Amino acid sequence: METGVSLGEAIQISLTEPLSRRTERVSIEEARGRVTAVPLISKVDDPGFDNSAMDGFAVRESDCEKDGARLEIVGTSQAGGASPPEIGVGQACRIMTGAALPSGADAIVMVEDTETDGEYVVINGPARAGFIRRKAENLSLGQEALPSGSLLSSASIALAGTMGHGEIEVITRPRIAILSTGDELIQPGQELSHGQIYESNSHALASLVESMGCEAVRHESANDTLGELRETLDSLSYCDAILTSGGVSMGEWDLVRKIMEEEGKLSFWRMRLRPGGPPLFGTWNGTPLFGLPGNPVSSLVVFHVLVASWISKSLGYHHETGPSLSQRVSVRLESDVSGAPGKLCLRRIRIRSEKGELLATTHTHQGSGNIHSMVAHNGLTLLPPDTDGKAGEIIDALWLR
Ligand code: AMP
Ligand code: MG
């Protein structure tokens, strides 16, 4: 068992017990929010045939060189309609957006630039080849357009549909159990007795788990007794992973640490991170388990920097198109921000874009018990150990979604 590991080491160690990756086929109707398990290959050319980008007339460009050319209308090409007639010299075909280009035509005139006079059309504007959408100009048959590990959001689902996929092979949502621990915790909405607090971590963690493409299995909080903890962990070990919060520090009642040490398999305990120093990782009955700190800010921050990476790497999420909770950016500090001796320091910052650069400020106080600070800010500094940030400096940060 290792203690006091860096964030990079913690990610490496946790990946020795990765989240298991299974796949399944779902219909496109059910694919929203899922993650592709294979690259999606186009089953068609897009467009499948040359067609018009405008409502207007399909013409021969050479017939329209002088203003006011008068062409005979030989038919209509409608989207989804029958094959249009071929056009010859001096002829035009009425055409709708998305309709097939008649053979013989090499340009389109917009309807706004024409006047019809019985069986003839007078051309008052430019005939443009650029108004033709060419076969396969967007995608060609067999092209890999969506990588494996992509989140199926609105645009990527539309792309999958355009490529002809009525069913999509996706990653089966892993079930991640969430267990808050602490005698003081009760669910919001109930009457508080002396010394009790409302339990909030499990709700935050469930939301983060779902945003990372997994299914959250929230359990009611466990009291600080070894018996209850053992029983609850046993009952949750059918899940693909377990996240606990609380009970991992140095205190006598920090029983998650104690039970993992004595009865589980512990791979590391404590990270060189502020906030969020006390996490542990190991397995319980063979199920990967992250013991997150109880302090609300710490548990969220550790999820963002450690658990989200573990999920993403275990399941092979794509670095650009896969689910993610944050983006690494460079920000210019507007005020001094103190770092932490020997620890990667994740101060909460508010990031905004101004005049082409990202500026970062800090507002409310930064206690790890102050969950409001995670709402009032939208980013975290990535200040290396023993490094303070000075106003005006550019530093690395995470911009949280
Ligand atoms: P612990 O790590 O168990 O010592 O908890 C650290 C602090 O976080 C204590 O003040 C706890 O009351 C608080 N805390 C622990 N678990 C939760 C939770 N699930 N929701 C909100 N606060 C919590
Ligand atoms: Mg506790």
Side-chain angles (χ1 to χ4, degrees):
M1 200 259 293
E2 308 220 24
T3 54
V5 297
S6 69
L7 174 59
E9 288 163 344
I11 293 172
Q12 284 311 314
I13 295 170
S14 62
L15 283 170
T16 60
E17 301 283 352
L19 195 48
S20 48
R21 183 184 189 274
R22 293 178 298 273
T23 71
E24 62 191 348
R25 287 183 81 74
V26 295
S27 77
I28 188 167
E29 284 95 343
E30 298 161 329
R32 186 165 55 92
R34 305 300 298 270
V35 182
T36 56
V38 292
L40 290 194
I41 311 277
S42 187
K43 298 179 175 201
V44 293
D45 289 327
D46 175 46
F49 46 87
D50 291 355
N51 69 80
S52 178
M54 298 288 170
D55 290 324
F57 285 85
V59 297
R60 292 167 175 260
E61 202 178 345
S62 55
D63 285 345
C64 304
E65 274 160 8
K66 64 174 188 342
D67 232 21
R70 191 159 174 273
L71 306 175
E72 181 195 359
I73 303 171
V74 294
T76 299
S77 182
Q78 238 173 294
S83 286
E86 183 173 349
I87 66 166
V89 175
Q91 294 183 325
C93 178
R94 219 178 245 109
I95 195 163
M96 311 303 151
T97 303
L101 186 75
S103 63
D106 58 12
I108 305 289
V109 183
M110 290 196 295
V111 71
E112 296 88 324
D113 291 337
T114 64
E115 271 168 85
T116 45
D117 127 28
E119 277 147 41
Y120 287 84
V121 57
V122 178
I123 308 295
N124 297 323
R128 291 193 204 276
F131 290 158
I132 298 170
R133 302 193 285 215
R134 294 289 174 194
K135 177 179 160 90
E137 73 179 18
N138 302 329
L139 292 170
S140 43
L141 173 72
Q143 182 181 337
E144 184 184 309
L146 196 62
S148 178
S150 295
L151 176 66
L152 288 161
S153 58
S154 49
S156 43
I157 286 192
L159 177 61
T162 299
M163 295 194 292
H165 294 277
E167 284 193 341
I168 304 173
E169 185 83 8
V170 296
I171 296 173
T172 301
R173 279 200 178 103
R175 277 181 299 213
I176 302 195
I178 295 164
L179 176 65
S180 281
T181 70
D183 289 344
E184 74 279 30
L185 305 176
I186 65 162
Q187 281 306 306
Q190 296 176 10
E191 198 70 25
L192 279 180
S193 305
H194 178 72
Q196 291 184 320
I197 62 161
Y198 288 129
E199 193 281 309
S200 59
N201 291 352
S202 71
H203 300 285
L205 292 170
S207 139
L208 291 169
V209 158
E210 304 263 342
S211 302
M212 287 303 291
C214 305
E215 183 189 327
V217 179
R218 251 193 80 251
H219 195 275
E220 63 185 78
S221 1
N223 283 321
D224 292 320
T225 69
L226 284 174
E228 182 165 344
L229 215 47
R230 184 183 303 116
E231 207 175 294
T232 314
L233 291 177
D234 282 345
S235 77
L236 292 175
S237 48
Y238 76 94
C239 288
D240 297 294
I242 302 173
L243 304 181
T244 64
S245 90
V248 288
S249 305
M250 310 284 275
E252 208 172 311
W253 296 107
D254 287 327
L255 298 182
V256 174
R257 175 185 50 80
K258 190 171 159 66
I259 204 168
M260 282 296 288
E261 245 166 15
E262 292 173 359
E263 304 175 32
K265 184 174 148 252
L266 197 52
S267 305
F268 74 74
W269 175 43
R270 305 178 81 184
M271 292 169 68
R272 299 201 300 276
L273 206 63
R274 177 176 292 169
L280 60 80
F281 176 79
T283 56
W284 181 267
N285 293 342
T287 305
L289 181 149
F290 286 91
L292 304 178
N295 276 310
V297 171
S298 310
S299 67
L300 263 67
V301 163
V302 174
F303 189 99
H304 275 285
V305 297
L306 173 63
V307 185
S309 297
W310 177 76
I311 294 173
S312 175
K313 291 191 158 75
S314 299
L315 299 180
Y317 288 177
H318 190 270
H319 64 285
E320 280 178 350
T321 55
S324 80
L325 302 172
S326 59
Q327 188 185 351
R328 206 183 167 108
V329 290
S330 297
V331 298
R332 187 182 294 282
L333 291 173
E334 292 190 294
S335 49
D336 292 352
V337 180
S338 53
K343 293 177 175 180
L344 174 66
C345 189
L346 308 163
R347 300 267 177 217
R348 275 127 281 156
I349 47 176
R350 175 106 213 142
I351 302 176
R352 67 175 204 284
S353 164
E354 200 175 288
K355 294 189 184 126
E357 90 176 328
L358 297 178
L359 302 179
T361 47
T362 58
H363 298 297
T364 56
H365 90 96
Q366 302 261 332
S368 58
N370 179 18
I371 192 62
H372 184 245
S373 69
M374 287 294 284
V375 176
H377 297 85
N378 60 359
L380 299 170
T381 63
L382 291 169
L383 283 172
D386 311 305
T387 312
D388 292 327
K390 295 264 166 284
E393 262 175 22
I394 293 182
I395 62 159
D396 287 340
L398 289 179
W399 197 348
L400 307 180
R401 303 243 156 94

